[in-house]
Amino acid sequence: MDESAWRAGRPAVGSSAELPWFRGKIADINRNGPVFGPRKDEFLPYLLVRATSADRGNRPLNGVFWESPDIYVVAGQPAETAPLRPATPGGVASASAPNTLYAHVWNLGKAAAYGVRVEFWWFDPSLGISRAAGHLIGAAYVDLDDRFTRYEEWVEVDGPNGRWISRGCHTIVRPAQKLGYLHTSMAGTSVWSSASETPSLTQFRRSRSLQPLTGM
């Protein structure tokens, strides 16, 4: 709650006007809902995949959003054999070959977030970038600690629906639900090919095991 809303116009403590004032505040909440302060100060998750290196989650976002520093590609390698963490950030997809995508996801909020679904999509930019023009590649589920939790090293997390690496309030993850592969043709357009394996989500639990990620 925004505490300033409770201080504005408050009568002196113990005065005869204090109780009617308080009842009026409760009636306002019942009618209009609570008055919140800045999102960053609330006890809530604040999830983000950055559009730029300076992105701190302010929306709406103006300017270039399609060159995210938090989207990585390992070219020419399927997700089944790709490392949990790409060797380098960025990357360019290979033509007519499987490519593994990664997302670097952040939680800037005061509360942890569990079972966060991270989806991976591709778009043909000549058709515009909109939900109607999107093609789902796959998805993953991750847990993110609050913004105060920061591991000194990347830690490997084994979850019921996949694995990812974490440093507490931010993680790197690749698709665990394999819905298909993204191929890029020699002409530079995206071609979709389906895959049949789709793991069930019904047995997702919040249990997980953590262990240091060696060799990184």
Side-chain angles (χ1 to χ4, degrees):
M1 290 288 296
D2 184 356
E3 293 184 4
S4 63
W6 285 92
R7 298 193 186 102
R10 180 171 182 170
V13 176
S15 70
S16 60
E18 184 180 25
L19 184 57
W21 173 88
F22 180 78
R23 288 173 174 167
K25 289 293 184 182
I26 297 300
D28 287 343
I29 291 175
N30 289 335
R31 283 194 302 268
N32 305 317
V35 178
F36 291 97
R39 175 64 184 271
K40 65 182 181 64
D41 296 331
E42 295 299 319
F43 188 72
L44 296 169
Y46 195 158
L47 305 181
L48 177 68
V49 174
R50 296 173 298 169
T52 68
S53 59
D55 187 2
R56 296 297 181 270
N58 293 326
R59 297 296 185 269
L61 183 70
N62 297 317
V64 174
F65 62 87
W66 52 87
E67 296 181 0
S68 169
D70 289 337
I71 305 298
Y72 312 142
V73 180
V74 171
Q77 191 168 8
E80 292 87 344
T81 59
L84 282 179
R85 181 187 179 191
T88 58
V92 178
S94 294
S96 302
N99 298 279
T100 298
L101 301 180
Y102 299 79
H104 191 175
V105 186
W106 302 75
N107 181 14
L108 307 183
K110 289 185 174 181
Y114 299 99
V116 176
R117 179 178 170 91
V118 183
E119 296 183 348
F120 297 78
W121 296 71
W122 70 267
F123 298 81
D124 182 346
S126 65
L127 301 177
I129 299 178
S130 66
R131 182 175 294 273
H135 303 268
L136 181 63
I137 297 170
Y141 285 85
V142 297
D143 299 340
L144 293 119
D145 292 308
D146 59 59
R147 71 183 185 217
F148 307 107
T149 304
R150 302 174 185 175
Y151 305 155
E152 293 185 2
E153 299 179 339
W154 286 104
V155 172
E156 181 179 332
V157 183
D158 284 315
N161 284 293
R163 299 159 63 208
W164 66 90
I165 59 174
S166 172
R167 293 195 69 170
C169 63
H170 59 112
T171 71
I172 295 177
V173 65
R174 63 193 181 194
Q177 273 184 274
K178 189 178 68 174
L179 303 181
Y181 290 118
L182 172 64
H183 296 265
T184 303
S185 72
M186 297 304 293
T189 57
S190 298
V191 181
W192 179 254
S193 63
S194 62
S196 58
E197 181 183 354
T198 305
S200 171
L201 303 179
T202 57
Q203 299 187 6
F204 175 78
R205 303 185 307 278
R206 292 182 181 178
S207 61
R208 57 178 183 171
S209 63
L210 284 70
Q211 53 187 311
L213 194 62
T214 59
M216 300 189 69

